Amino acid sequence: MNKVLVTGGAGYIGSHTVVALIESGYAPVILDDLSNSRIEVMNGIEKITGKRPEFHKINLTDRTAVDVFFNTHHDFDGIIHFAAFKAVGESVEQPLKYYSNNLGSLLNILENMEIHRIKNLVFSSSCTVYGEPDQLPVTEKSPIKKAESPYGNTKIISEQIIEDQTTIKKINAISLRYFNPIGAHTSALIGELPLGPPNNLIPVVTQTAIGKREKVVVFGDDYPTPDGSCIRDYIHVTDLATAHVIALERMLNHKQISNFESFNIGTGTGYSVLEVLNTFEKISGVKLNYEIGKRRPGDVIQIFADTSYANNVLGWKAKENLETMIRSAWAWEQNIPKLFKE
Ligand code: WQD
């Protein structure tokens, strides 16, 4: 059975990828420190797949703990590395927390890959590496620009570290540059589970709709876009999970064009914040309480992907549309109280 190590596998995208891996016949092993996820996520994975993956609670910045783990567990066909802090705003307030965590954990993984000759790495990157693009849609050749936040900078630096390591140590790596992951598994048994107040738009919307929050504040409607609000390329988390399995198999089947490849994982379509809110109201039948507020520092005006490279070379294409994404996010929000003792 192909064993795959999934760091951050109890998290939002990680848990959906673990489900996709199991359904594709892999045996994922999860490393997670549960700093931004809950162990009950394992129940959801088990209910969906009938299998409960091996789980180890480890902080990846603890070098000794990571070394001890790899000394007894290293027969992996590949590693999918999600574990990182990802709140843009928090990274601006606490840059060193982000650099030490996101880069420290990556280095511990890469050094153990070298020691134990683990060959393949899928890295969780982000469209944030493109900053405010000069041209849209962005391709993988679009310039990597100065990050708008330390969070984004850790993704840029991580890609550079990985690329250097692939050149020297002959490991294979694929960096997946996510656009905006939203939605939840169709079972509504796993989904986005922010511990504490959410930063991202969709959990803010669904928590407002269900009454956990008083309102949605739209961070600015005076941008140079058709309705004045920012535009993003939202992608269903299950489409994103599938991309990770396809990327892993690309390396296992020796299909790579070079040892380091990066792919834009988006839909190619951009939607504004106000369009998202209107779509939510249409789908849920819930009138959202929202107001227009000030712009949020660090926000780019608009970004969406040119997905032709991922479609034609990686062989992956998003299937879900905005309505199914939002419908699944709303079903998940409504199911949370049944799954977790609030
Ligand atoms: C989307 C839009 C906000 C909240 C970041 C990272 C990216 C990825 C996803 C991790 C923006 C607006 C939001 C709110 C709002 N990170 N908004 N009111 O900032 O595009 O991307 O998260 O996976 O790498 O950069 O996502 O969901 O925070 O914001 O108006 O209460 O919604 O201004 O235009 P973002 P987001």
Side-chain angles (χ1 to χ4, degrees):
M1 176 83 84
N2 290 343
K3 279 176 73 173
V4 181
L5 181 64
V6 184
T7 73
Y12 173 40
I13 305 165
S15 56
H16 286 82
T17 302
V18 164
V19 165
L21 284 165
I22 293 171
E23 289 175 345
S24 302
Y26 292 92
V29 173
I30 297 177
L31 288 196
D32 202 303
D33 66 358
L34 299 178
S35 63
N36 192 24
S37 49
R38 293 171 63 161
I39 193 64
E40 290 90 343
V41 167
M42 304 296 285
N43 303 335
I45 294 172
E46 187 172 15
K47 282 194 197 121
I48 295 167
T49 64
K51 295 207 171 84
R52 194 177 186 87
E54 188 179 331
F55 174 87
H56 299 264
K57 186 172 185 289
I58 292 180
N59 178 334
L60 290 182
T61 60
D62 176 349
R63 182 58 194 262
T64 307
V66 175
D67 290 353
V68 164
F69 170 80
F70 275 100
N71 285 337
T72 49
H73 303 74
H74 45 254
D75 54 340
F76 297 113
D77 290 296
I79 297 179
I80 304 180
H81 181 49
F82 291 104
F85 293 153
K86 61 157 205 164
V88 173
E90 185 189 47
S91 78
V92 174
E93 287 147 26
Q94 304 181 59
L96 293 186
K97 174 180 174 182
Y98 273 68
Y99 287 116
S100 60
N101 183 71
N102 292 6
L103 301 182
S105 51
L106 174 67
L107 289 172
N108 287 340
I109 290 292
L110 289 174
E111 283 164 13
N112 272 282
M113 285 183 76
E114 191 175 320
I115 293 163
H116 298 288
R117 301 192 192 298
I118 299 169
K119 293 296 289 174
N120 304 304
L121 175 70
V122 180
F123 176 63
S124 163
S125 190
S126 165
C127 62
T128 203
V129 304
Y130 299 115
E132 183 75 64
D134 303 323
Q135 278 185 314
L136 286 168
V138 288
T139 72
E140 288 78 2
K141 298 260 179 295
S142 295
I144 302 299
K145 298 178 78 176
K146 176 157 177 8
E148 307 279 332
S149 68
Y151 158 78
N153 210 23
T154 64
K155 293 300 181 185
I156 294 174
I157 297 168
S158 295
E159 285 199 1
Q160 290 165 346
I161 293 170
I162 293 166
E163 187 164 14
D164 289 347
Q165 191 66 352
T166 59
T167 315
I168 305 292
K169 294 296 167 197
K170 302 279 170 283
I171 62 167
N172 309 311
I174 292 180
S175 180
L176 298 180
R177 292 172 180 168
Y178 310 159
F179 283 69
N180 284 59
I182 64 169
H185 190 267
T186 182
S187 64
L189 292 169
I190 55 174
E192 191 165 6
L193 194 64
L195 301 187
N199 300 291
N200 294 128
L201 177 65
I202 295 302
V204 168
V205 165
T206 57
Q207 287 189 8
T208 302
I210 205 159
K212 272 188 194 167
R213 294 172 67 91
E214 187 224 338
K215 63 187 172 192
V216 179
V217 176
V218 174
F219 295 146
D221 70 345
D222 56 351
Y223 285 98
T225 60
D227 66 16
S229 63
C230 293
I231 290 171
R232 295 289 184 274
D233 182 336
Y234 296 95
I235 171 154
H236 200 296
V237 66
T238 49
D239 278 334
L240 180 56
T242 304
H244 290 78
V245 181
I246 291 174
L248 175 71
E249 292 185 334
R250 179 176 173 82
M251 292 185 282
L252 293 178
N253 298 327
H254 312 292
K255 296 268 196 271
Q256 283 190 284
I257 298 166
S258 71
N259 286 60
F260 178 80
E261 295 174 308
S262 54
F263 294 96
N264 286 344
I265 303 298
T267 65
T269 305
Y271 288 100
S272 75
V273 176
L274 291 171
E275 282 174 322
V276 168
L277 300 191
N278 296 335
T279 304
F280 178 84
E281 290 185 328
K282 191 177 89 179
I283 283 178
S284 64
V286 174
K287 185 90 188 72
L288 268 179
N289 178 24
Y290 70 89
E291 69 184 37
I292 306 297
K294 292 202 302 298
R295 293 182 175 193
R296 179 173 68 175
D299 272 337
V300 299
I301 300 165
Q302 54 179 323
I303 185 164
F304 50 91
D306 176 326
T307 59
S308 48
Y309 193 57
N311 300 160
N312 304 328
V313 175
L314 182 60
W316 167 89
K317 187 170 173 49
K319 296 194 182 80
E320 303 298 340
N321 61 32
L322 185 67
E323 291 209 1
T324 53
M325 295 180 213
I326 292 177
R327 196 183 308 282
S328 67
W330 180 225
W332 160 248
E333 184 68 59
Q334 292 171 289
N335 207 28
I336 288 174
K338 298 176 203 133
L339 297 173
F340 299 93
K341 304 282 163 279
E342 295 270 77

